[in-house]
Amino acid sequence: MRILAVGAHPDDVELQCAGTLAKCIQRGDQVTIAVSTDGSAGTNTVTSEEIARIRESEARASAKILGADFVWLGYRDEFLYESEDVRLRYIDLVRETRPDVVITHDPQMDYHPDHATTGQLLWNIRVMAAARTIKTQHPTFDNIPELYYMDTLAGIQFQPDDFVDISATMDIKRKMLSQHASQLEFMQARYGMTMVEFMEICSSFRGLQSGVRFAECFRRSVTFPATCRRVLP
Amino acid sequence: MRILAVGAHPDDVELQCAGTLAKCIQRGDQVTIAVSTDGSAGTNTVTSEEIARIRESEARASAKILGADFVWLGYRDEFLYESEDVRLRYIDLVRETRPDVVITHDPQMDYHPDHATTGQLLWNIRVMAAARTIKTQHPTFDNIPELYYMDTLAGIQFQPDDFVDISATMDIKRKMLSQHASQLEFMQARYGMTMVEFMEICSSFRGLQSGVRFAECFRRSVTFPATCRRVLP
Amino acid sequence: MRILAVGAHPDDVELQCAGTLAKCIQRGDQVTIAVSTDGSAGTNTVTSEEIARIRESEARASAKILGADFVWLGYRDEFLYESEDVRLRYIDLVRETRPDVVITHDPQMDYHPDHATTGQLLWNIRVMAAARTIKTQHPTFDNIPELYYMDTLAGIQFQPDDFVDISATMDIKRKMLSQHASQLEFMQARYGMTMVEFMEICSSFRGLQSGVRFAECFRRSVTFPATCRRVLP
Amino acid sequence: MRILAVGAHPDDVELQCAGTLAKCIQRGDQVTIAVSTDGSAGTNTVTSEEIARIRESEARASAKILGADFVWLGYRDEFLYESEDVRLRYIDLVRETRPDVVITHDPQMDYHPDHATTGQLLWNIRVMAAARTIKTQHPTFDNIPELYYMDTLAGIQFQPDDFVDISATMDIKRKMLSQHASQLEFMQARYGMTMVEFMEICSSFRGLQSGVRFAECFRRSVTFPATCRRVLP
Amino acid sequence: MRILAVGAHPDDVELQCAGTLAKCIQRGDQVTIAVSTDGSAGTNTVTSEEIARIRESEARASAKILGADFVWLGYRDEFLYESEDVRLRYIDLVRETRPDVVITHDPQMDYHPDHATTGQLLWNIRVMAAARTIKTQHPTFDNIPELYYMDTLAGIQFQPDDFVDISATMDIKRKMLSQHASQLEFMQARYGMTMVEFMEICSSFRGLQSGVRFAECFRRSVTFPATCRRVLP
Amino acid sequence: MRILAVGAHPDDVELQCAGTLAKCIQRGDQVTIAVSTDGSAGTNTVTSEEIARIRESEARASAKILGADFVWLGYRDEFLYESEDVRLRYIDLVRETRPDVVITHDPQMDYHPDHATTGQLLWNIRVMAAARTIKTQHPTFDNIPELYYMDTLAGIQFQPDDFVDISATMDIKRKMLSQHASQLEFMQARYGMTMVEFMEICSSFRGLQSGVRFAECFRRSVTFPATCRRVLP
């Protein structure tokens, strides 16, 4: 299968589904990580331009550890809006990556407008990629992908209906997250712990709920056209 | 009564509420069908411009069978966005048609962003049509219409609270849908059945739920100002 | 039509739907009020037996003002439980009154277990009254009645989907409620106002929501078999 | 895997999950069908005792077609209540059948108290079967089974999150349902169609929603302890 | 504490939380009232420009009675849209007022798109005010404020989880509302009562629910980062 | 204030609200812990009678550490049912302890029928304790207590609206939980970790959500009569 995971900011995919993506890789899937915004708000010390450059290279390094393809969409952090241009860009992303499954943010529940907008964009365009009258760089993609929403930040308001055991891929997840060096101290200052510690609490808690050491959790978007497939690893 | 039914694409109103509209006509109501977008994405064979022209004439023919007035809003299929201009256009639509009841898509539940945007637009402007400081082509309309959401495509996620028996008007519904000849093969290719067969399964299922042969179902938008009326036929 | 309104305690029907019942009477319906429990907890001054006798005669007087039939079920106040015997009694109530519509408490939302149990009982048995193998005093009743839930006490947690304008029958409602003399001072002590004042605030508020002076509100129980009827006055 | 499907009445399992069970059999699962009540209310023509005998043999014949084990619990139709005895009986059912997966009614959404009680009983006891201090006929069963709720009657109020393609097993489902000869005319009189026609409309509709000819749908009970497994065929 | 209350139109804050704000003032809080739009649609008699001027001075007079600071954002009534510019303006509002608590409209439930947009804007930017890379007129504000949603117009669809007793500050609320003289007759024409009477019914009803003479009610926005504080008076 | 915390089994209160209770004690509240069932199913090694005796003394020891009063209700573990007798017992519990606040299980969301029944019982009787016609051992209690639901086991399905920082009382919570020595190995066998480790993951996760090191979370039961108080420490 081909999997497309889209996060609003660099490190979102790592926090919420890197363990699952690693299992996908292990079973032979092809995985692409895409990042909506340039992460240019994630700093207290350097300029927006500098932090954006740093974060792109951190995110690429993280994707490399996973063995995933990587797409940097580069929209301005904190200011992602839906518009015709942006919608066409996401249509083209799906056409380029031709995914069986898209994993992204929950448009209703997560904590940040960039998250909501990213999730909503993927929901909006999941059928449009097949429309021949909509022209973008890549040819149309006729298969409508499954859509899964990953956990919210700190799990607030999220009601999972699928859990994935990531105990065996937890180290990869830790390593990927550690590439985001610029965010480690930023988060440390804000939350009094590293992003890895933050993530370990969440993964332990989701594991507790589902009977394993570490887990990630998801909510399937049940919308037309639904399918009879069960695609998570 | 005057009824305004607004679909995102040509054929949406036919699929979800044509049987109810036919009953409205039979009890003496005046009905207007409006279509938000030009349906220009609904083809694999001709150009956007051609399919838009074809679909408009199909939709007009369908409205004629019903005996309804018809408004073609002509926004670009797949790219309907809210904006000041668009909002003013929908305000003017309500002022022009002066409806007691508006039937449209559910802004929360349906499968396509054009559906959600159409439903949201009608919700947004249902009170504004009375505001004298907002100038559009037609004079203000002081009565705030009732708002009903019609069923979603294939009924996914929709929780009806009102059913209408359409057994006696099912033939009109079939005939109206059959006017959309360009979509019959398009849907056939995609779903392995004609749009009429698709609709018959849905109408049978809603009939099963409500104790009749064929039914359509609705969800009332309960919002300020609500009313004490029961307006469905 | 025939209407059966079932309250958990004497005065519940008066508080939540007397205005609607008065409108039903005015359009020619036959109305029955039934009361689940004997109201024997509603006193700080007399014995359970005395207050139960008092409350039955108050409730009968109130039903008389409305012009409704009256059924006193007489279960112990605060201790209504579902059981085979109780279920059979409610089946027989429906068979005796043969209602098109049943109005009762919301089993999920209201504030008291007797309310929840009463609402649940009516939901449980609405289909069973038609079963010939279940023997009770009265013959089977083949038509499955519509089920509406009336407002909760002080409207807490209640999401109405139907409003009824009771401005014209408000005086009847006040008069009916005033029959419950034993509760007036009881409520006065507890809430610092008479039951009539309490009710007037609720009816004004529901009127405000629905564009009239006074209103009552309801939630339709959408369950199999649903119907295509709209039965409220 | 071992699958336990529990219906409130004879024919419930056939209506809602026979196609899925047939696929389970085909992939090598061992399936047990259990029926809570004796179906003694399902007649207008014979006595309760006679119809109960008839329905048990119909249900056994249906299970035989599937190749499933069969358990007749025999509680009184329309009067299934939770109690210590009943709870112990269902604990023993799980211990006897040792299921990986239990499929039963949704305790919140379905149309009949026997359905709700059956679903609630299975939820209540899914963990208790492992408790050594609770003695029943069979030894404890340490593995807590997954719990899935099947569709409601006519799909009212049901929000599926899993669909199963039953196109290939639809004939088995039809055949199983046809064993319930006593109910065919009973339903025919009530709903104007045979139970098979009723079921075909539902299965077509669920198929339409999920992109196949015929489907059944389910809702996973997410409760402690959840798991990381995906067990449906 | 510092409190920021943001209404979509002049008089929204007065209707829904003036009593609570008065209690905040009494316990020593510093309060700011901000108004999103210029209220230019609230007239049937004068021009948009005139009514906007009138309403601003009415709103300022009302804030003065409370003893609150006042910010007039001045967006066009009925046409408030999210955009980068608008978002930056609200970020700056939070930076300027440095609130511990923000009270605003519920983005999901209230009756008007300006209400929804105002509520959504505050939710969107509550974290962004801390981002140093986002430049606005005022310096960043590092503390993320608590977010509370106030009651909807006529309380429709609102499910409160917090009530505030405003019996002692009801007179201030009445006086503040009375400053909005231009709206009194406007509302009178529309709803057959003054805005003060309208408000009194709502405040009485919320009082009834919470055991006091007059109350206002709120819903806490539980989103990341939540807190352990209880901040309402 | 007086606080009554009621758990279904020995150790439930410890797991879900001991940290909050410790803060209550520290601010001067009087706390009572009550346990519905005898915990007699919580063993694989000894008899029901033995384990019940052991668990009672463990629970008493735990309450002693907190400085709380203790009530052992002693109903049979796994078989707690509502009935007139049981209801009267809980009414008397409230009359004996005269609480301002009751903390107990969520009747809808938690994982075990004994939890649901305990939570439901407290909801059912919270008003009845004031009824003079209901006779139990202790005199009536006129004040209706606030009702809070504590977190579910492993937090599944729970949507908190209040968090309490328990960082400073975490040690007391650990110590209390450690008194339940008989359960430590029992849980260890089942979940591969001690109950203290299990609790630490949950408390860390709830802390992460609310910006502190360790937290507990609650959902307020909003039902008539609600109040304007905020009572959590």
Side-chain angles (χ1 to χ4, degrees):
Chain A
M1 271 194 288
R2 281 187 305 273
I3 316 284
L4 171 64
V6 191
H9 307 104
D11 75 26
D12 282 335
V13 160
E14 281 81 349
L15 270 170
Q16 307 297 7
C17 69
T20 299
L21 295 180
K23 287 189 82 173
C24 289
I25 292 275
Q26 288 174 359
R27 74 174 181 191
D29 295 351
Q30 186 188 334
V31 173
T32 302
I33 293 176
V35 180
S36 293
T37 74
D38 60 8
S40 57
T43 183
N44 284 330
T45 49
V46 300
T47 67
S48 293
E49 292 69 27
E50 282 172 294
I51 190 67
R53 263 197 307 276
I54 291 166
R55 297 194 75 181
E56 183 180 351
S57 66
E58 289 170 350
R60 285 191 188 279
S62 165
K64 202 168 199 179
I65 287 171
L66 180 65
D69 292 335
F70 183 77
V71 179
W72 181 255
L73 293 161
Y75 291 104
R76 184 179 168 201
D77 191 1
E78 313 293 297
F79 293 96
L80 179 65
Y81 287 101
E82 246 274 32
S83 71
E84 193 174 313
D85 279 356
V86 173
R87 189 176 286 183
L88 287 168
R89 182 65 191 87
Y90 282 80
I91 292 173
D92 197 57
L93 173 66
V94 165
R95 287 175 174 177
E96 180 184 357
T97 53
R98 310 178 77 74
D100 297 277
V101 185
V102 171
I103 301 176
T104 188
H105 298 286
D106 191 319
Q108 250 81 58
M109 294 297 157
D110 213 334
Y111 91 112
H112 193 288
D114 291 344
H115 289 217
T117 305
T118 296
Q120 189 63 51
L121 269 161
L122 271 302
W123 187 91
N124 284 351
I125 60 91
R126 77 204 184 289
V127 178
M128 293 180 189
R132 297 190 194 177
T133 52
I134 303 176
K135 312 293 186 199
T136 67
Q137 224 176 313
H138 293 84
T140 59
F141 175 55
D142 284 344
N143 301 335
I144 297 162
E146 307 279 311
L147 189 53
Y148 281 84
Y149 301 132
M150 51 193 189
D151 205 349
T152 56
L153 191 62
I156 286 186
Q157 299 277 0
F158 196 74
Q159 295 286 37
D161 49 41
D162 254 316
F163 293 87
V164 173
D165 181 357
I166 60 159
S167 308
T169 55
M170 190 64 179
D171 278 342
I172 301 176
K173 186 173 186 176
R174 277 194 201 94
K175 243 176 266 172
M176 289 173 67
L177 213 43
S178 302
Q179 302 309 307
H180 295 271
S182 72
Q183 300 307 295
L184 296 184
E185 53 195 301
F186 186 59
M187 292 277 289
Q188 177 94 36
R190 212 175 201 167
Y191 305 118
M193 65 179 71
T194 70
M195 226 162 40
V196 174
E197 288 166 331
F198 189 105
M199 178 275 284
E200 279 174 340
I201 292 175
C202 293
S203 300
S204 298
F205 183 74
R206 295 308 188 188
L208 204 71
Q209 295 187 318
S210 56
V212 297
R213 183 72 188 92
F214 297 110
E216 286 166 351
C217 66
F218 300 89
R219 194 166 74 81
R220 194 183 199 160
S221 171
V222 180
T223 186
F224 185 83
T227 77
C228 295
R229 300 200 297 170
R230 270 152 293 282
V231 298
L232 294 180
Chain B
M1 270 193 290
R2 281 186 306 274
I3 317 283
L4 171 63
V6 190
H9 308 104
D11 74 28
D12 282 334
V13 160
E14 282 81 348
L15 271 170
Q16 308 297 7
C17 71
T20 299
L21 296 181
K23 289 189 81 172
C24 289
I25 292 276
Q26 288 175 0
R27 73 174 181 190
D29 294 351
Q30 185 189 334
V31 173
T32 302
I33 293 177
V35 180
S36 294
T37 75
D38 60 8
S40 57
T43 182
N44 284 329
T45 50
V46 301
T47 66
S48 293
E49 291 70 27
E50 282 172 293
I51 192 66
R53 265 195 307 276
I54 292 167
R55 299 194 75 180
E56 181 179 353
S57 65
E58 289 170 349
R60 285 192 188 278
S62 164
K64 203 169 198 178
I65 287 171
L66 180 65
D69 292 335
F70 183 77
V71 178
W72 182 254
L73 293 162
Y75 292 103
R76 184 178 170 202
D77 191 0
E78 313 294 296
F79 293 96
L80 179 65
Y81 288 100
E82 247 273 32
S83 72
E84 192 173 314
D85 279 355
V86 173
R87 188 175 284 183
L88 286 168
R89 183 65 192 89
Y90 281 81
I91 291 172
D92 196 57
L93 173 66
V94 165
R95 287 175 174 178
E96 181 185 356
T97 54
R98 308 178 77 77
D100 297 277
V101 185
V102 170
I103 302 177
T104 189
H105 298 286
D106 191 318
Q108 249 81 58
M109 294 294 157
D110 213 334
Y111 92 112
H112 193 288
D114 290 345
H115 289 217
T117 305
T118 296
Q120 189 64 52
L121 269 161
L122 271 301
W123 188 90
N124 284 351
I125 60 92
R126 78 205 182 287
V127 178
M128 294 180 189
R132 297 190 192 176
T133 51
I134 304 176
K135 311 293 185 198
T136 67
Q137 225 177 313
H138 293 85
T140 59
F141 175 57
D142 283 345
N143 301 336
I144 296 161
E146 307 278 312
L147 189 53
Y148 281 83
Y149 301 133
M150 52 193 188
D151 204 349
T152 56
L153 191 62
I156 286 187
Q157 298 276 3
F158 195 74
Q159 295 285 38
D161 49 42
D162 253 317
F163 293 87
V164 173
D165 180 357
I166 61 159
S167 308
T169 55
M170 189 65 180
D171 277 342
I172 301 175
K173 186 173 185 176
R174 277 194 202 95
K175 241 176 269 171
M176 288 173 68
L177 213 42
S178 302
Q179 301 310 307
H180 295 271
S182 71
Q183 301 307 295
L184 295 184
E185 52 194 304
F186 185 59
M187 292 276 290
Q188 178 93 37
R190 213 175 201 165
Y191 304 118
M193 65 178 71
T194 68
M195 225 162 40
V196 174
E197 289 166 330
F198 189 106
M199 177 275 282
E200 280 174 339
I201 292 175
C202 293
S203 299
S204 298
F205 182 75
R206 294 309 188 189
L208 204 72
Q209 295 187 318
S210 56
V212 297
R213 182 73 188 92
F214 297 111
E216 286 166 353
C217 64
F218 301 90
R219 194 165 74 81
R220 194 184 202 159
S221 171
V222 180
T223 185
F224 186 83
T227 78
C228 296
R229 300 199 298 169
R230 270 151 292 280
V231 297
L232 293 181
Chain C
M1 270 194 289
R2 282 186 305 273
I3 316 283
L4 171 63
V6 190
H9 309 105
D11 74 29
D12 282 334
V13 160
E14 282 81 348
L15 270 170
Q16 309 296 6
C17 70
T20 299
L21 295 180
K23 287 188 82 173
C24 289
I25 292 274
Q26 288 174 0
R27 74 174 181 191
D29 295 350
Q30 185 189 334
V31 174
T32 303
I33 293 176
V35 180
S36 293
T37 74
D38 60 8
S40 57
T43 183
N44 284 330
T45 49
V46 302
T47 68
S48 294
E49 292 69 28
E50 282 172 293
I51 191 66
R53 264 197 308 276
I54 292 165
R55 298 194 73 181
E56 182 179 352
S57 66
E58 289 170 350
R60 283 190 188 281
S62 164
K64 204 170 196 176
I65 287 171
L66 180 65
D69 293 334
F70 183 78
V71 178
W72 182 255
L73 293 161
Y75 291 103
R76 184 178 169 201
D77 191 1
E78 314 292 295
F79 293 96
L80 179 65
Y81 287 101
E82 245 275 33
S83 71
E84 192 173 315
D85 279 356
V86 173
R87 188 177 286 185
L88 286 168
R89 183 64 192 89
Y90 282 81
I91 292 173
D92 197 56
L93 172 67
V94 165
R95 286 174 173 177
E96 181 184 355
T97 53
R98 310 177 77 74
D100 297 276
V101 185
V102 171
I103 300 175
T104 188
H105 299 286
D106 191 319
Q108 250 81 59
M109 295 295 158
D110 214 336
Y111 91 112
H112 192 287
D114 290 347
H115 288 217
T117 305
T118 296
Q120 189 65 51
L121 269 161
L122 270 303
W123 188 91
N124 284 350
I125 61 90
R126 80 206 182 287
V127 178
M128 293 180 189
R132 298 191 191 175
T133 51
I134 303 176
K135 312 294 186 194
T136 68
Q137 226 176 312
H138 294 84
T140 58
F141 174 56
D142 283 344
N143 301 335
I144 297 161
E146 307 279 313
L147 189 54
Y148 281 83
Y149 302 131
M150 51 194 189
D151 204 352
T152 56
L153 191 62
I156 287 187
Q157 299 277 0
F158 195 74
Q159 296 286 38
D161 48 42
D162 254 317
F163 292 87
V164 174
D165 180 358
I166 61 160
S167 308
T169 54
M170 190 65 180
D171 277 343
I172 303 176
K173 186 173 185 175
R174 278 195 200 93
K175 240 176 268 171
M176 289 173 68
L177 213 42
S178 302
Q179 302 309 307
H180 295 272
S182 71
Q183 301 307 295
L184 295 184
E185 55 194 300
F186 185 58
M187 291 277 289
Q188 177 94 38
R190 214 175 199 168
Y191 305 118
M193 65 179 70
T194 70
M195 224 161 41
V196 174
E197 289 166 330
F198 188 106
M199 178 276 284
E200 280 174 339
I201 292 175
C202 293
S203 299
S204 298
F205 183 75
R206 294 309 189 188
L208 204 70
Q209 296 187 318
S210 56
V212 298
R213 183 73 189 92
F214 297 111
E216 287 166 352
C217 65
F218 300 89
R219 193 166 74 82
R220 195 182 200 162
S221 170
V222 180
T223 186
F224 186 84
T227 79
C228 295
R229 300 200 297 170
R230 270 152 292 281
V231 298
L232 293 180
Chain D
M1 271 193 288
R2 281 186 306 271
I3 316 284
L4 171 64
V6 190
H9 308 105
D11 74 29
D12 282 334
V13 160
E14 281 82 348
L15 271 169
Q16 308 296 7
C17 70
T20 300
L21 296 180
K23 287 188 82 172
C24 289
I25 293 274
Q26 287 174 0
R27 73 173 182 192
D29 295 351
Q30 186 188 334
V31 174
T32 302
I33 293 176
V35 180
S36 294
T37 75
D38 60 9
S40 58
T43 183
N44 284 329
T45 50
V46 301
T47 66
S48 293
E49 291 71 25
E50 281 172 294
I51 191 65
R53 264 196 308 277
I54 291 166
R55 297 194 76 181
E56 182 180 351
S57 66
E58 289 171 350
R60 284 191 187 280
S62 165
K64 204 168 195 179
I65 286 170
L66 180 65
D69 292 335
F70 183 78
V71 178
W72 182 254
L73 293 161
Y75 291 103
R76 186 180 168 199
D77 191 0
E78 314 292 298
F79 293 97
L80 179 65
Y81 288 100
E82 245 274 32
S83 72
E84 191 172 317
D85 280 356
V86 174
R87 187 175 286 184
L88 286 168
R89 181 64 190 89
Y90 281 81
I91 291 172
D92 197 56
L93 173 65
V94 165
R95 287 174 173 177
E96 181 185 354
T97 54
R98 310 177 77 74
D100 296 277
V101 185
V102 170
I103 301 176
T104 188
H105 299 286
D106 191 317
Q108 250 81 59
M109 295 295 158
D110 214 336
Y111 91 112
H112 192 289
D114 290 347
H115 288 216
T117 305
T118 296
Q120 190 63 53
L121 269 160
L122 271 301
W123 187 90
N124 284 349
I125 60 89
R126 80 206 182 286
V127 178
M128 293 179 188
R132 298 192 190 175
T133 52
I134 303 176
K135 311 295 187 193
T136 68
Q137 228 177 311
H138 293 84
T140 58
F141 175 56
D142 284 343
N143 301 336
I144 296 162
E146 307 279 311
L147 189 54
Y148 281 82
Y149 301 133
M150 52 192 187
D151 205 351
T152 57
L153 192 61
I156 287 186
Q157 300 277 1
F158 195 74
Q159 296 286 39
D161 49 41
D162 253 317
F163 292 87
V164 174
D165 181 357
I166 61 160
S167 308
T169 55
M170 189 66 179
D171 278 343
I172 301 176
K173 186 173 186 177
R174 279 194 200 93
K175 240 176 267 171
M176 289 173 68
L177 212 43
S178 302
Q179 301 309 305
H180 295 271
S182 71
Q183 299 309 293
L184 296 184
E185 54 194 302
F186 185 59
M187 292 275 290
Q188 177 94 38
R190 215 175 201 167
Y191 304 116
M193 66 178 70
T194 68
M195 226 162 39
V196 174
E197 289 165 330
F198 188 106
M199 176 275 282
E200 279 174 340
I201 292 174
C202 294
S203 300
S204 297
F205 182 76
R206 294 310 188 188
L208 204 70
Q209 295 187 318
S210 56
V212 298
R213 184 74 190 91
F214 298 111
E216 287 166 352
C217 64
F218 301 88
R219 194 167 73 82
R220 195 182 201 162
S221 171
V222 180
T223 186
F224 186 84
T227 78
C228 295
R229 299 200 298 170
R230 272 153 292 281
V231 298
L232 293 181
Chain E
M1 271 195 289
R2 282 186 305 273
I3 316 282
L4 170 64
V6 191
H9 309 105
D11 74 28
D12 282 334
V13 159
E14 280 81 347
L15 271 170
Q16 308 298 7
C17 69
T20 299
L21 296 180
K23 289 188 80 172
C24 290
I25 292 276
Q26 288 174 359
R27 74 174 179 190
D29 295 350
Q30 184 190 335
V31 173
T32 303
I33 293 177
V35 180
S36 294
T37 75
D38 60 8
S40 57
T43 182
N44 285 330
T45 49
V46 301
T47 66
S48 294
E49 291 70 26
E50 282 172 295
I51 191 67
R53 264 196 307 275
I54 292 166
R55 299 194 74 181
E56 183 180 351
S57 66
E58 290 171 350
R60 284 191 188 280
S62 165
K64 203 168 198 179
I65 287 171
L66 180 65
D69 292 335
F70 182 77
V71 178
W72 182 254
L73 293 162
Y75 291 104
R76 184 178 169 201
D77 191 359
E78 313 293 296
F79 293 97
L80 179 64
Y81 288 100
E82 245 274 31
S83 71
E84 192 173 314
D85 278 357
V86 174
R87 187 175 287 183
L88 287 168
R89 182 65 191 88
Y90 282 81
I91 291 172
D92 196 56
L93 173 66
V94 165
R95 287 174 174 177
E96 180 185 356
T97 53
R98 311 177 76 75
D100 297 277
V101 184
V102 171
I103 301 176
T104 188
H105 299 286
D106 191 319
Q108 249 81 59
M109 294 295 157
D110 214 334
Y111 92 112
H112 193 289
D114 290 346
H115 289 217
T117 305
T118 296
Q120 189 64 53
L121 269 160
L122 271 301
W123 188 90
N124 284 350
I125 60 91
R126 78 204 183 288
V127 178
M128 293 179 190
R132 298 190 192 177
T133 52
I134 304 176
K135 311 292 185 199
T136 68
Q137 225 177 313
H138 293 84
T140 58
F141 175 56
D142 284 344
N143 301 337
I144 297 162
E146 307 279 311
L147 189 54
Y148 280 83
Y149 301 133
M150 52 192 188
D151 205 349
T152 57
L153 191 62
I156 287 187
Q157 299 277 1
F158 195 75
Q159 296 286 39
D161 48 42
D162 253 316
F163 293 87
V164 173
D165 181 358
I166 61 160
S167 308
T169 55
M170 190 65 179
D171 278 343
I172 301 176
K173 186 174 186 176
R174 277 193 201 94
K175 241 176 268 172
M176 288 172 68
L177 214 41
S178 302
Q179 302 309 307
H180 295 271
S182 71
Q183 301 306 296
L184 295 184
E185 53 194 302
F186 185 58
M187 292 276 290
Q188 177 94 34
R190 212 174 201 167
Y191 305 117
M193 65 179 69
T194 68
M195 225 163 39
V196 174
E197 288 165 332
F198 189 104
M199 177 276 283
E200 279 174 340
I201 293 176
C202 293
S203 299
S204 297
F205 183 75
R206 295 309 188 188
L208 205 70
Q209 296 188 318
S210 55
V212 298
R213 184 71 189 95
F214 297 111
E216 287 166 350
C217 64
F218 301 88
R219 193 166 75 80
R220 193 184 202 161
S221 172
V222 179
T223 186
F224 186 84
T227 78
C228 295
R229 300 200 298 170
R230 270 152 294 280
V231 297
L232 294 179
Chain F
M1 272 195 288
R2 279 185 307 273
I3 315 283
L4 171 63
V6 191
H9 308 105
D11 72 31
D12 282 333
V13 160
E14 281 81 347
L15 270 170
Q16 308 296 6
C17 70
T20 299
L21 296 180
K23 287 187 82 172
C24 290
I25 293 274
Q26 288 174 359
R27 73 175 181 191
D29 295 350
Q30 183 188 337
V31 174
T32 303
I33 293 175
V35 181
S36 293
T37 75
D38 60 7
S40 59
T43 182
N44 285 328
T45 49
V46 301
T47 67
S48 293
E49 291 71 26
E50 283 172 293
I51 191 66
R53 263 195 309 276
I54 291 166
R55 298 194 75 181
E56 182 179 352
S57 66
E58 289 170 349
R60 285 190 187 280
S62 163
K64 204 168 196 179
I65 286 170
L66 180 65
D69 292 334
F70 183 79
V71 179
W72 182 255
L73 293 161
Y75 291 103
R76 185 179 168 200
D77 190 0
E78 314 292 296
F79 293 96
L80 178 66
Y81 288 101
E82 244 274 32
S83 72
E84 193 173 316
D85 279 357
V86 173
R87 188 176 286 185
L88 287 167
R89 182 65 191 86
Y90 282 81
I91 291 172
D92 197 57
L93 173 66
V94 165
R95 287 175 173 176
E96 181 185 355
T97 54
R98 310 178 77 75
D100 297 276
V101 185
V102 171
I103 300 176
T104 187
H105 299 285
D106 191 318
Q108 251 80 58
M109 294 295 157
D110 213 336
Y111 92 112
H112 193 288
D114 290 347
H115 290 215
T117 305
T118 296
Q120 189 64 52
L121 269 160
L122 271 301
W123 187 90
N124 284 350
I125 60 90
R126 78 204 181 289
V127 178
M128 294 180 188
R132 298 193 191 174
T133 52
I134 303 175
K135 311 293 187 197
T136 67
Q137 228 177 312
H138 293 84
T140 57
F141 174 57
D142 284 344
N143 301 337
I144 297 162
E146 307 279 312
L147 188 54
Y148 281 83
Y149 301 132
M150 52 193 187
D151 204 351
T152 56
L153 191 60
I156 287 187
Q157 301 275 1
F158 195 74
Q159 296 285 40
D161 49 41
D162 253 317
F163 292 86
V164 173
D165 180 357
I166 61 160
S167 308
T169 55
M170 189 65 180
D171 277 343
I172 301 176
K173 187 174 185 177
R174 277 193 201 95
K175 240 177 266 173
M176 288 172 70
L177 212 42
S178 303
Q179 301 309 306
H180 295 271
S182 72
Q183 300 307 295
L184 295 184
E185 54 194 302
F186 185 58
M187 292 276 290
Q188 176 96 35
R190 215 175 198 166
Y191 304 116
M193 65 179 70
T194 68
M195 225 161 40
V196 174
E197 289 166 331
F198 188 106
M199 177 275 282
E200 280 175 340
I201 292 175
C202 293
S203 299
S204 298
F205 183 75
R206 295 309 189 188
L208 204 69
Q209 296 188 317
S210 56
V212 297
R213 183 74 189 93
F214 298 110
E216 287 166 350
C217 65
F218 301 89
R219 194 166 74 81
R220 195 182 199 161
S221 171
V222 180
T223 186
F224 185 84
T227 79
C228 296
R229 299 200 296 169
R230 270 152 293 280
V231 297
L232 293 181

